[in-house]
Amino acid sequence: MTLRLTTQIGEWINRNKHIHFTFEGETYSAFEGDTISSALWAAGQKVLGRSFKYHRPRGVLSFANHDVNVLMTDGMDTNIRADVVAVKDGMVLTAVNTKGGVKHDKNRVIDAISPLLPVGFYYKAFHTPRRLFPFWENIIRKSAGLGVVNVNYPRILKRKLHAHCDVLVIGAGAAGLSAAYHAAKAGLQVTLVDENRQAGGSLTFDLGGDAKPQQVLDDLLRKVTTQPNITLMTGSYAAGYYPDHLIPIVSDTGITKIRAKTVIVASGAFEQPPVFRYNDLPGVMLGSAAQRLIYRYGVKPFNKGVVVTANDYGYRVAIDLLDADTEVIAVVDMRKGSNASPDLITLAKRGVKIYAGYCVYEALATSDKSAVRGVVVCPYDDQKNVALTHDSVTLACDGIAMSAGWAAAAALLYQAGTAMKFSYEVQQFVPNTLPMGMFAAGKVNGIFELSQRLHDGVRAASEALRYLGLEAAEVAAAKHMGSTPSHPYPMVPHYKAKNFVDFDEDIQIKDFVNAAKEGFDNIELMKRFTTVGMGPSQGKHSNMNAIRILAKIRDLPVEKVGSTTSRPFFHPTPIGHLAGRSMHAHRLTPLHDWHQQHGAVFTDIGAWKRAAYYPAPGQHKDEAIQAEAMAVRTSAGMIDSSSFGKIELHGPDAAEFLERFFIGVYANQKVGSCRHVMLLDEAGVIIDDGVASRLADDLFYLSIGTTNAAAVYREMQRYQQMWQLNLGLVNVTGAFGAVTVAGPAAREILSTLTDLDLTYEAFPISRVRTSVVAGVPARVIRVAFVSELSYELHVPMLQVPHVWQALLAAGEKHGIRPFGSDTQRLLRLEMGHMMPGVDTDGLTNPLEIGVDTHKYMQKAYFIGQRSLAILAKRPLRKQLVAFMLAEHFQGELPLECNLVVDGRDILGRVTSIAYSQTINRIIGFAYVTPAQTAIGSVFNIRTDSGTLVEATVVTTPFFKSTSQQATGA
Amino acid sequence: MKLLTCPMNGSRPLSEFVFGGEYRESPNPDTCTDKEWAAYVHNRSGAPGNKKEWWYHAPSGTWFIAERNTLSDKVARTYLLTDANAQQAKPAQEYGQ
Amino acid sequence: MQASDQDVVFQMHEQPAIAVTSPVALAQLSSEAQWDVVNGMRMAVAFADHGIEQARKQIAGVVDISCLSRFGVKGPQAARWLAERGVAIPASINSWTLCHQSSVVLRLGSSEFLIEDPLSGNVCQTLTQHSQREVGVYFVPRADAAFALCGSAVMNVLSELCPLDLREAVMPPHVVIMTQIAGISATVWRQQVNGEAVFRVVCDGTYGPDMWAMLVEIATELGGGAVGLACCHSALQA
Amino acid sequence: MPLRLLKYALSKNHPAPRFFKEHLVPKKSYDVVIIGGGGHGLAAAYYLAKDHGITNVAVLEKGYIGGGNTGRNTTIVRSNYLTPEGVNFYDASVKIYEGLSEELDLNLFYSTRGHFTLAHTESAMRTMRWRAEVNKHVGVESRVVGPDEIAKACPQLDLSCSGHAPILGALYHAPGSVARHDGVAWGYARGADGYGAEIFQSTEVLGIDVKNGKVCGVRTNKGYIETKQVLSAVAGFTPRITEMVELDTPIVIHPLQACVTEPMKPWLDTILVSGSLHVYVSQSSRGELVMGSSLDPYEVHSTRSTLDFVEGLTSHMLDMFPFLSNVKVVRQWAGMADMTPDFAPIMGKTPIEGFYLDAGWGTWGFKATPISGKTMAYTIANDRAPDLIHSFRLSRFDEYELTGEKGAASVGH
């Protein structure tokens, strides 16, 4: 049995293109342009899904993505919105959340026992006895949820673009089209978006047997499409509103993040279902859904039906049904007495019986509850909200179209902070105070009549123009005339319930009543307790009715009940769209490919990728590190230190700046010498440390750790803003690279590449020299961080590979080898140097790592000084010490962050620990209580497995090079 | 994304900025009590209202002051600390979002 | 000590004697590019045959022009110092101008300047050779990754990577924008090179490989892609 | 189908009576006034009555109960903190939570899932070990696990995180759980109401009267209330209340955002947190993925949503679970968090006699609900804070005695 109609004017399907697909194992044919639902409906398949909770059969309701009656999976993708997703050839579809298929879903038994599952039932059971809850939870989790996620679904790239416009018009219906055109005519850049595949909104389906809407549409479309400064985006929805008019527009292909100067919201209204028993049967649908089926897809909603209405709109629906060869046996008008609908006579002429002041008391289901077999109508007292069932009439039919009213599609207006008010003229929330630069037009603004909607678009456009400071005539706001489009309370009680308000969550009128009786009589509490509006359609078809019900329960006017907060997204939005392209920017030194080619294992430090160590094939990390370290101790090693933070301080006040910024003393620092710098915060906590080399009276060259370099430089800039000293800060981190050559052979190797006098006398520790190395200008810094004899060569970044290669060649006969940042950690440990961030944490102050602060406290000021003075008066809680494990220690090696314990007391923790092959001992740093800091005192470290290991406090450095190495004498 | 106007670079999305916390005058470290200093270091005026704040425009390395209402999240004006006494905030440059 | 230091400071900014490799090269090693040394920098000069690259240029071409000489200086006296050496100073902050009809002078904020020579230019070299340090004039050594983006879809590439409105209608012709491209701090301006509009993007060289990869990835999706310097050599001659 | 459900469905007083009575106008005076009808305030009211027999109590809620951060968090409960004082405190909370459904006779869906804090860097691994060792020391089940054990618990997780941030290991915390956050507030409300405490919704505090350093009354939009003891339990709004009594604190407000997907059949059984990727995620009993990230980077007293948040979070989610490309985010929201300099709460007495603080809850408030209620009740009843919360006292900042939680700052929630 097919419900496909003959060709309709302006239909969205291409009847020359046939498509075949399967649903629940059966093959169906469709036309190109059909949605999955329209194709199935045309084929007479009406059970398209099962409901979330009771697994009731469901079909087309809004047919506009305002409900999730119909969710499908194609095996790959899930929760496919079949009402709006175009059917593709070869699709293999099934409904989600069924047990044994949509037709004979075994879970339908839940519907039968639904009285046992009242609202919030899960709060009231399953928790005693406690031990059984996991069992029940498992059942509940499995029965909840919609589709099954395919964990093999590929990661899809969706592009996210930025765009800008003067006016963003949301909704390409009558009001939106008219607004866009008038704004564009005035010369503005306009972007017009609509979630439907074609523009036009209700002009494409709300005809009521009248040709005018289509003429209006053709005219507007012609104007809009010929206007060069209008960008029309169809199949694209505005997903949410974000501050300063940022609105993401979502389409199949990705997201366009539009930053608009002004926004005109013409998003229309959602038709709301009247509530009566079995209003969820397949075949019971909204009037607008029936019209969409007819005019967009040439599909008959049903063969013989009843229209239940509470406004004039339902009469238009009835006419459209008649024009679609559908037998309309009755229009049931919930409004008392006669009404002014111009279509009344037409319908009567065409043999449609009008039941004025009647309601649909219930829809009658076929035996398998999968379709409508009839409807019971009876007089309705809409004051008392009772159905007078003694005069009920039963009419046989296979479908019901419902038109009881609307709710503003005001999500974005709410999100933007619009104050809404309830208008009794239209029985709808409408904008009262709009935020700057935002305007509303059309149904969302409470304007329903077509010519008024067109006019309202013009008004909104001219207001937008004036907001942007352009000339535009004042246009009077339209005012709704005639009968209200929405019924104040289209909800018919029924002692047997199953009268659904929220179709996503299977929520009935009684659920609200019960929730209120249990104290959840605040709209937000009611939402949370009943879960109304919390399903995937986010209350599009249910929030307004929920508000009306609560208002009635509490005997309050609707506006006093208020509404729940609107949040993004307007439609659920795919994670892949929101994520967009994966962008992970790293900083790489010019030696990165060399490191790669030599098997380096990389580690992320800040934004940088650094070589951590270079394992030979099959070599274990520790072996590699030990081997690299041994090279430094016995001959020479070299490391790419290009990621160090490097900052130049130029100017007369350079030393003064350092004096204030860091803990140390620099005023009297000799040109050509290096001093340690340590940065504290105002609380006296250690932030970072490094080395300041004085290149001239008015030039310091600062090198600091990779991790915090950016942050430290930022702070330097901030304090310079405050201090306004006479100097310039130049961040040369990216301009200069550094290579460190270290080890007993370092001097000899370097001497082959430079004329610089490297003798101890000429170039002792903690000195800086500027020279030329391997033909490259270099700043040579001699610091004893990893070895007493080591040289940091700071050279222009792009010259680093040249210098590196030169050192490799020069060092070849000494067996020089590269070492990585992990090896550097071991080397500096052997040298007894602590590392901020490793041996300190977010609260460590200099006193706790044994810095002698006295000489610094004499300074006029430095950051953190005042707090240090306070801390100095307080007893130390912990202190960092160097320790060794017993000689030839065997057994479980303690690890960094194992605790130093004494029975139940935590005394501290290990911050660094490693085996030093050089001295054949296990060495490290640990925090202990001040009582245990004396050299030779012993403390216990507890390993992962819980065994206690004795450690002895020792002096540093752990490794003392022969004086020969240091002096080179 | 919210927009913020850097006095040097004009109006930019917030992602280009780093929040530097409230702009605060420290008590005189030489004369204030320990308690006063501890309060300066740790306490903040957390109540909603108009605040002077540090903001940093990362791409250009510009620190500046923003007068922002922490309730409405609206920025009244932004200026360089050195222009703090300027009656009017520096206008944004000709190019800006 | 001081003297030698003065020397080195200027040397640090001098065009290196030894050929360096483009900071972007890391991201190009895998491609079958032709390599050459241009202006003392070893770099990929062609990625595909001329016809293909020409086609890419029409749609969305990404060119590595890191090899152009650059000179940076900042400080309260920087503008005066440059002017004294005959360098044209952009009138307003965050704008650029041409110097000797060829070199680009960018004003970054109010008191920092970046000068870029075309291949044939020598402004940077001259400035470098006379860069004695003085108070209020602070030299900013550069190791930038520099790109030229051209083609009809260039806005499409940039609109994914940058939230700003870079449309010609909105962006004044001589404005310099310090913003983020793909989350990386970068300096952006639009320039007419031999009558064709190209977008210029300059960022820290250590970010160069990732910036290149991202630009080329998107350009390629749109039908464009990597274009070698050889393909627009003329364009970069003054 | 449990019997009680049948009984409930068929029982005469179906539906059940109100969870809590509706009071419109407060009495002239109360022994204790609790500002804030969230989980913490209601729990405090409950334990004041249950543990200390103090029932002449008013709970004042500006909006509706549980409408603040109680109803906005991502419902994770755990105790794997860094400092012994922190671990002990949250462990006590977990212990109460485990029996709370029974105690309140309300199913809070307290679901113990196991909690993995993923480490992508060596330094993160160090922090994990640090936390594990401290946890073990005070008897909380936490340990450092390797990638294979993570894979066993969550086979869907891409351990390489799409190659961007390979997972080196994790801190596994067996007691990690999720619960129905609203239910916690409702259950405590019903409990407190049952003991006689009075709950006032839509009741806003306009001022607090202090005379010679002592609290004497509270001004509200429903009239004046005399009282000598006031508890502020309004995390997210604390500075507005402390301003009323001119009390300086380090607290600043930062929004904390979260989002939730469409329901899907269960596949994620554990709770996953990644500090470096700023992601925490679990699957609710309804089947939604509940996801959160780190705090917004600047101070603002607003629950507005931002696009950056959801863009960043989703891209990191895809790094971890590439197959989620087409799973849809339904809703995003935000709460306002009291942030303190040392990432620990501020609890107990204040320099103002009779004014007690339950604040500074940052991103950890929900998991502490029962124990904070219990300890604040004790503090009010005895005008003395129990040892369990000594290290959270306000005066620690004057004394430079900050707690050590900051050491683990990289891993929140």
Side-chain angles (χ1 to χ4, degrees), chain D residues 69-143:
Chain D
N69 293 338
T70 302
R72 297 169 186 275
N73 65 82
T74 47
T75 82
I76 297 169
V77 177
R78 60 177 179 90
S79 63
N80 56 347
Y81 281 73
L82 181 66
T83 59
E85 54 268 36
V87 179
N88 281 320
F89 177 76
Y90 288 98
D91 185 47
S93 205
V94 167
K95 295 261 174 14
I96 302 175
Y97 257 123
E98 286 166 346
L100 198 56
S101 292
E102 283 175 309
E103 177 175 353
L104 300 176
D105 190 22
L106 190 74
N107 191 345
L108 305 176
F109 271 69
Y110 188 80
S111 172
T112 301
R113 302 276 184 92
H115 181 286
F116 289 85
T117 311
L118 305 174
H120 307 261
T121 64
E122 289 294 343
S123 69
M125 280 301 279
R126 287 162 48 90
T127 315
M128 296 311 136
R129 170 161 288 100
W130 188 1
R131 288 167 65 183
E133 289 302 301
V134 173
N135 285 208
K136 276 191 265 174
H137 187 84
V138 298
V140 166
E141 192 185 343
S142 297
R143 59 194 160 84

Side-chain angles (χ1 to χ4, degrees), chain A residues 4-329:
Chain A
R4 188 72 71 173
L5 293 161
T6 53
T7 306
Q8 305 290 308
I9 311 144
E11 67 185 12
W12 291 5
I13 52 174
N14 172 3
R15 294 181 186 247
N16 305 322
K17 277 262 174 61
H18 291 267
I19 282 177
H20 298 279
F21 68 104
T22 74
F23 172 62
E24 298 270 327
E26 282 176 45
T27 305
Y28 296 86
S29 68
F31 294 125
E32 185 182 68
D34 262 320
T35 71
I36 296 165
S37 296
S38 70
L40 289 169
W41 203 265
Q45 169 62 354
K46 293 190 174 180
V47 180
L48 305 180
R50 288 275 171 172
S51 67
F52 181 64
K53 188 169 158 195
Y54 298 150
H55 288 257
R56 294 171 59 84
R58 291 284 169 83
V60 162
L61 173 65
S62 69
F63 197 51
N65 209 3
H66 302 158
D67 66 273
V68 289
N69 276 3
V70 190
L71 293 178
M72 297 186 183
T73 174
D74 59 6
M76 275 304 271
D77 198 358
T78 192
N79 294 354
I80 296 168
R81 306 280 183 109
D83 285 357
V84 289
V85 170
V87 66
K88 287 180 214 65
D89 202 41
M91 268 184 159
V92 179
L93 298 157
T94 52
V96 301
N97 195 27
T98 73
K99 195 168 168 191
V102 75
K103 282 203 184 60
H104 310 289
D105 183 1
K106 292 190 184 59
N107 286 332
R108 66 184 186 276
V109 295
I110 298 172
D111 189 31
I113 60 160
S114 56
L116 296 178
L117 308 172
V119 63
F121 71 91
Y122 36 82
Y123 288 113
K124 300 178 169 103
F126 311 113
H127 56 291
T128 53
R130 190 196 302 184
R131 64 185 151 70
L132 285 189
F133 174 63
F135 166 78
W136 291 116
E137 187 201 13
N138 186 34
I139 294 174
I140 292 163
R141 282 187 72 194
K142 285 207 173 78
S143 50
L146 292 166
V148 176
V149 173
N150 177 352
V151 298
N152 300 317
Y153 195 81
R155 180 173 185 159
I156 307 171
L157 167 64
K158 297 290 182 177
R159 294 189 70 201
K160 280 189 298 185
L161 305 180
H162 298 86
H164 304 76
C165 64
D166 299 325
V167 188
L168 172 63
V169 181
I170 297 164
L177 287 164
S178 133
Y181 174 64
H182 283 83
K185 241 183 21 192
L188 295 181
Q189 286 292 335
V190 178
T191 302
L192 173 61
V193 301
D194 194 287
E195 68 175 292
N196 292 285
R197 237 169 52 242
Q198 293 186 29
S202 61
L203 293 173
T204 61
F205 59 79
D206 174 19
L207 305 190
D210 176 0
K212 184 172 179 237
Q214 277 172 331
Q215 293 156 5
V216 171
L217 176 57
D218 296 343
D219 172 55
L220 279 171
L221 279 181
R222 190 176 33 74
K223 287 174 172 165
V224 163
T225 46
T226 51
Q227 195 68 36
N229 50 342
I230 297 181
T231 312
L232 173 61
M233 301 171 71
T234 53
S236 308
Y237 63 90
Y241 177 90
Y242 298 93
D244 296 332
H245 300 334
L246 178 69
I247 296 178
I249 307 298
V250 180
S251 74
D252 287 348
T253 55
I255 294 184
T256 308
K257 295 186 267 179
I258 294 187
R259 176 80 65 183
K261 294 203 179 74
T262 65
V263 181
I264 296 175
V265 177
S267 43
F270 309 125
E271 187 159 37
Q272 300 295 294
V275 178
F276 52 82
R277 177 171 168 79
Y278 282 8
N279 60 340
D280 67 327
L281 284 179
V284 183
M285 71 181 71
L286 294 168
S288 52
Q291 292 174 306
R292 286 183 172 94
L293 275 171
I294 296 167
Y295 291 113
R296 289 180 175 175
Y297 303 99
V299 175
K300 243 166 120 171
F302 33 74
N303 289 307
K304 177 180 179 191
V306 167
V307 174
V308 55
T309 186
N311 53 28
D312 298 350
Y313 181 75
Y315 291 76
R316 303 163 58 79
V317 172
I319 291 173
D320 289 330
L321 284 166
L322 288 169
D323 292 353
D325 314 323
T326 308
E327 187 181 345
V328 179
I329 51 177

